[in-house]
Structures are given as structure tokens and as C-alpha cells.
Amino acid sequence: MIDLDENTVTDATLSQMATTGDPRLKEIMDAAVRHLHAFAREVNLTPAEWLQGIAVLTEVGKACTDIRQEFILLSDVLGLSAVVNALHDKKAKELGTQSSLLGPFFREGAAELPLGANIVANRTAPEIVLYGQVTDNNGTPLPNALVQAWQTDEHGLYDVQAHEDAHMDMRGNFRTDANGNYHFRTVRPLGYSIPMDGPVGKLVQMQGRHGMRPSHIHMLITAPGHRELVSALYFGDDPNIGSDTVFGVSASLVVEAKDNADCPIPGLKSVRYDFRMPKAADNDTGRVGADPASFVKAAE
Ligand code: BEZ
Ligand code: FE
């Protein structure tokens, strides 16, 4: 029998969990317990604060629906998703295009469109073109790669926010051609605030943060034998390019819409971006994030 105090309870917990069969589960839970206990000791957590934390997490859970994942949003604003992304990039067999956040607005099953199609149904802003080549790390083109793109409209709204019935819009899936090339038309998305009407938004407000994400287009690229790439392209002239609330921007992902002589649709401003896909390692688990609907389905 040990004398439990705020320090010895940590060893007692770890020793009781020592029977965990799965070694990775054991490693993760041991570290989680050590860090959680150290956190409580560091801030001298009171019962009222502990209860408040439980209440916030309960609210985060309640805010989740099949089109909204408040837990991912919480991970994002705490920078945890960005840490996981960076670790994931480092674990790759080869370093390809840098990852960025999947975010809570990815949806499975967007329409597959012909190259050159516009992904925005009703447009009030000038069209731009996004184009480039998908290759492996040696520059060999990857034909028939699946390029999924999604973004806000020119007012800063995703389809689930812009359309009452949440029908899919501002998103489209494309296949690269025989030379690994892709191109599609869109409008320049407006930067936007992360959803502020839930418990995560309330926290961000209490922290005096602006809650904005700079203008960006999400890209999810899949090619057999290669590591799935979750990334996004960020427009460099957005006023919030240096202060993204969810830490998704990296210098290598910053772009500009301009006149490009080799744009497949002449006369439109365009962004050229070539994606490099690293080879998949064994047991490579890819995606950092998921369609919110998949969590709701799994919980049923
Ligand atoms: C997004 O880019 O869609 C996003 C990412 C993290 C939090 C909110 C939105
Ligand atoms: Fe986004």
C-alpha cells in the first residue's frame, strides 16, 4: 500500500496500466498520463477548473455532427494537428510536398470532374486556374492520380455554410492526364474565420485571437504506391498569412495568382503548383484528419 499524494499517484497509475497488451497503446497512454499529471501539478489545477475542462470537452463532443468535427477544430487551434502533420512528414520514406491541415470541411464523395471544369457553381468573382503536374520524388509524372480540391467561395464560406441543404460545391475531384498534369478553374477563395459559434470559438475569443485562416485551397492527392498527400495552397497576399489560427501555412505552400505563359487556359490569372508524391512506406497510414461524417457513423 503506498501513500498516495499528487506525485505518487502517477507511479501508481503507470504501474496499474503496466499490463496493457498492445505496446504502442501502452507507450501512448503512459506518456499521456505522465504529461496530464505534470500539467495538473504545474498549474495547480483546482476541482472547479477540472470540472470546467470536463464541461468544455462535453460541449466539444455535443457540437460534433456529420458535417462538423469540433474535436479536430480543438486540436487545430491548439497546434496539435500541425505538430502531427510535421511529424508525419518527417516519417516519410522520402520528403515530398509538405503537408497541411485537412481541416474539418473535407467531405468524401465529391463529383469527379473533367480537367478544366470549374468547381464553383455560382461565381461572382473572376475565374482563376490552378494547374501543374503530379510527379514522384524523381520528377516522373504520375498519370491518373486522384486530385481532390475543396475551398471556400469568394465570400469565405464552405458549401456546408453557404447552402442550407449543404449540397456539395466549391469542391471537385480530378484525374491527372497521361503526363501527370491537372488543371481546373475556380474563384479565389476568401480567407475566413474558423467556426466561432461553438466551444472552440469561445476559447479562441477568450484568448484574444482573431480566429482567421488566410485564403487557401485544400488539396488531397492519391496515387497508387505513393503516400497520400494532404496539403493546401495559401495565397501570400492575404492579411492573415502570418497568423493562421490553426498553423497550417508553410513557406513552401504559399502561392500567387498571376499571368503564367504556360497556363492551359490562356487569359486567366493562374497558380501553377507541382506536387511531389513520396513513395509509400510499409504500414504508412497517411491521412491526418477525416470526413466528419465518418466519426458519427463509427459512433452509431
Ligand atoms: C480549414 O482549412 O478548412 C480549417 C482548418 C482548421 C480549422 C478550421 C478550418
Ligand atoms: Fe480550409
Side-chain angles (χ1 to χ4, degrees), residues 26-267:
K26 181 171 185 306
E27 183 183 3
I28 289 172
M29 290 312 299
D30 280 7
V33 162
R34 276 189 280 102
H35 287 275
L36 276 172
H37 290 201
F39 150 75
R41 284 189 294 265
E42 182 183 325
V43 300
N44 204 3
L45 198 67
T46 68
E49 289 159 347
W50 172 80
L51 259 183
Q52 205 176 348
I54 300 283
V56 168
L57 290 177
T58 305
E59 286 307 309
V60 169
K62 282 189 189 165
C64 294
T65 69
D66 58 2
I67 54 170
R68 177 165 182 160
Q69 230 307 328
E70 195 81 356
F71 273 111
I72 291 186
L73 191 60
L74 180 61
S75 162
D76 293 344
V77 303
L78 298 181
L80 177 61
S81 311
V83 170
V84 174
N85 265 332
L87 291 170
H88 181 64
D89 278 355
K90 271 203 192 154
K91 271 184 293 213
K93 221 171 164 182
E94 314 164 312
L95 280 181
T97 299
Q98 213 168 346
S99 296
S100 189
L101 300 180
L102 186 82
F105 294 106
F106 170 68
R107 296 168 78 184
E108 299 278 3
E112 198 161 316
L113 303 173
L115 288 172
N118 197 312
I119 62 172
V120 182
N122 298 307
R123 305 176 285 275
T124 57
E127 288 186 313
I128 60 167
V129 180
L130 208 78
Y131 73 105
Q133 194 178 34
V134 179
T135 69
D136 69 10
N137 256 23
N138 300 318
T140 307
L142 295 174
N144 207 36
L146 178 64
V147 176
Q148 303 189 58
W150 69 104
Q151 63 170 83
T152 56
D153 61 15
E154 61 270 44
H155 311 292
L157 297 174
Y158 280 98
D159 51 7
V160 294
Q161 302 164 317
H163 304 313
E164 225 162 82
D165 66 357
H167 70 267
M168 292 216 194
D169 195 2
M170 289 83 82
R171 56 185 85 227
N173 298 348
F174 298 89
R175 292 274 173 189
T176 55
D177 67 15
N179 296 315
N181 289 320
Y182 73 93
H183 74 283
F184 62 89
R185 287 176 296 152
T186 183
V187 296
R188 184 181 153 139
L190 190 67
Y192 59 88
S193 167
I194 62 162
M196 295 294 277
D197 57 343
V200 174
K202 196 167 162 203
L203 174 67
V204 165
Q205 250 161 2
M206 288 171 77
Q207 293 172 328
R209 299 161 71 182
H210 58 53
M212 295 297 288
R213 293 220 69 202
S215 167
H216 60 277
I217 300 178
H218 293 273
M219 307 290 291
L220 171 51
I221 305 184
T222 320
H226 295 78
R227 192 179 224 241
E228 186 172 56
L229 174 67
V230 176
S231 198
L233 303 178
Y234 294 89
F235 289 88
D237 57 355
D238 188 289
N240 297 307
I241 193 72
S243 59
D244 183 6
T245 304
V246 295
F247 314 101
V249 182
S250 263
S252 70
L253 301 175
V254 174
V255 297
E256 177 192 0
K258 56 182 188 192
D259 296 316
N260 284 303
D262 64 348
C263 175
I265 306 178

Side-chain angles (χ1 to χ4, degrees), residues 277-290:
M277 307 282 289
K279 288 208 172 47
D282 292 341
N283 301 322
D284 207 348
T285 51
R287 203 175 289 184
V288 187

